[in-house]
Amino acid sequence: MRINDILKKKRTFSFEVFPPNPENSNIQDIYNTLDALQQFRPDFISVTFKASGDFSQNTIDLACYIQHHIAAEPLVHLTCGALDEHDVDALAAKMQTEGLENVLALRGDKPANFEGDYLKHFKHSTELMDHLRQQYDFCLAGACYPEGHIESESIREDIATLKLKQDMGAQFLITQLFYDNNFYYRLVRVARQMGITIPIIPGIMPLTSAVMFNKIKNMAGATIPFELRVLIDRFRDDKQAMYEIGISYAVHQILDLLANGADGIHIYTMNNARVAEEIYRRIQNVIEKELR
Ligand code: FAD
């Protein structure tokens, strides 16, 4: 089923997973994670794609597993920075053959060890969307950034490219992680003013460890609100306390987002079904009432 058809009827509840590196992890673990995630009845599960284009088959394999064994729609991430038209067409053909209907079209960032020209063929996700829209019949989605994409001069300039994503066929957007809901509300407000009508689904990454905090600081540059910052500074060496803080803060964010009419909730699980379970159990009745 196409995710945009689900979004026409209701707000969605969804998860993100990534294909584990086969060299240092047990591949069976991710299948166990997907089996465990199924009990929370997500509408869709998205599967990330390596920006280098390597191991793309792992993304397709996981999406196929979801398609055939899990009661949720797969959403295949596809980054185009390292690909040319031929690569994209080969992947699109595979997706079509497998009946995979939903694609999150992305640019990706040049990996540190990438040899060769990045962004040689597709410079932006909008070009990938345009290609997919003209050649295939997928339900397309795009990424968006509550605090603005790092390469954009201003939030308005960034949101103007979201309008382009909509014009190029994106039928919904998923946000980058954020910890201050005001950034999401501003994004939605400005996007609506600028003619973006498609659903904008907030992505929530529970910050459950000090290691994760450091990673996020370096990677996504998300603003950490003062109240959360104080807790992290105080409890960063206490694993259990950090876990409790991360889950509680995510629950607090989700409740606020639901109360304020967000188009859905997308949880970055980091392949940890326990995190999704903790969140679900704490607000099960709210999720059942608001997202079904
Ligand atoms: P783009 O949409 O191309 O945007 C990049 C910059 O270019 C922005 O500043 C934008 O405003 C600007 N821009 C866009 N289109 C145009 C245009 N036509 N003309 C001029 N400027 C333009 N990375 C991975 O490697 N694998 C993943 O699976 C993955 N999943 C993600 C999922 C989500 C929900 C999000 C939010 C990000 C994900 N990323 C993933 C990270 C993403 O690849 C990076 O954030 C990357 O820097 C930008 O990707 P994009 O698709 O937003 O790029």
Side-chain angles (χ1 to χ4, degrees):
M1 191 175 188
R2 299 164 76 97
I3 294 167
N4 66 311
D5 286 333
I6 305 175
L7 280 160
K8 280 178 198 155
K9 297 188 198 129
K10 62 186 275 300
R11 309 199 272 178
T12 50
F13 184 47
S14 55
F15 300 126
E16 179 190 279
V17 297
F18 59 86
N21 183 341
E23 282 163 18
N24 55 23
S25 53
N26 180 355
I27 194 73
Q28 188 54 40
D29 290 349
I30 185 61
Y31 294 105
N32 296 339
T33 299
L34 288 169
D35 293 344
L37 289 174
Q38 176 170 230
Q39 60 187 302
F40 315 118
R41 296 169 50 220
D43 293 293
F44 65 91
I45 300 179
S46 77
V47 186
T48 66
F49 189 93
K50 256 191 161 344
S52 61
D54 297 328
F55 309 117
S56 58
Q57 189 59 42
N58 295 354
T59 298
I60 304 279
D61 287 348
L62 274 195
C64 286
Y65 182 81
I66 296 166
Q67 173 96 330
H68 297 298
H69 301 283
I70 304 291
E73 287 305 314
L75 169 62
V76 180
H77 295 210
L78 177 57
T79 65
C80 60
L83 309 183
D84 60 22
E85 250 183 52
H86 174 78
D87 301 322
V88 168
D89 287 337
L91 286 163
K94 270 189 203 166
M95 285 189 259
Q96 273 190 324
T97 308
E98 298 292 351
L100 300 168
E101 294 179 286
N102 304 290
V103 180
L104 177 58
L106 299 149
R107 187 197 71 186
D109 292 317
K110 185 177 177 177
N113 53 357
F114 187 79
E115 284 171 16
D117 290 335
Y118 206 73
L119 307 181
K120 190 168 172 199
H121 303 278
F122 294 95
K123 299 212 169 358
H124 293 292
S125 68
T126 43
E127 292 171 21
L128 174 63
M129 282 172 196
D130 195 27
H131 180 74
L132 292 173
R133 172 181 68 126
Q134 298 211 32
Q135 304 293 329
Y136 306 92
D137 182 26
F138 293 118
C139 165
L140 297 177
C144 61
Y145 302 85
E147 301 191 45
H149 187 270
I150 194 156
E151 292 163 33
S152 294
E153 294 274 308
S154 69
I155 191 78
R156 287 194 86 83
E157 182 197 289
D158 199 44
I159 296 176
T161 66
L162 294 185
K163 176 69 169 62
L164 258 181
K165 290 187 189 188
Q166 177 175 285
D167 295 344
M168 291 301 131
Q171 286 165 311
F172 65 100
L173 300 167
I174 302 180
T175 77
Q176 180 62 283
L177 58 90
F178 58 92
Y179 295 96
D180 179 343
N181 287 357
N182 287 312
F183 288 116
Y184 171 79
Y185 299 135
R186 177 187 62 177
L187 169 71
V188 174
R189 192 173 59 246
V190 180
R192 300 301 178 227
Q193 283 165 3
M194 292 174 75
I196 296 160
T197 54
I198 54 179
I200 301 175
I201 300 174
I204 299 296
M205 168 96 82
L207 223 172
T208 50
S209 72
V211 174
M212 203 180 229
F213 169 63
N214 290 335
K215 242 192 215 165
I216 283 165
K217 240 184 10 189
N218 298 334
M219 252 171 45
T223 301
I224 305 292
F226 184 70
E227 68 195 279
L228 182 56
R229 183 80 213 209
V230 168
L231 287 167
I232 292 168
D233 284 346
R234 177 150 165 67
F235 292 104
R236 60 191 316 140
D237 298 327
D238 183 335
K239 272 194 181 160
Q240 193 49 35
M242 277 298 294
Y243 187 77
E244 289 166 5
I245 291 163
I247 297 291
S248 299
Y249 195 84
V251 164
H252 158 77
Q253 269 194 289
I254 291 170
L255 289 176
D256 183 66
L257 288 162
L258 289 176
N260 284 288
D263 290 316
I265 296 294
H266 186 65
I267 300 179
Y268 294 109
T269 68
M270 301 300 285
N271 291 359
N272 184 347
R274 192 178 144 221
V275 165
E277 175 167 7
E278 294 261 1
I279 291 173
Y280 180 80
R281 298 268 177 245
R282 285 197 198 190
I283 48 170
Q284 177 169 359
N285 291 291
V286 177
I287 289 173
E288 291 302 320
K289 190 151 191 202
E290 296 288 316
L291 299 176
R292 301 299 182 206

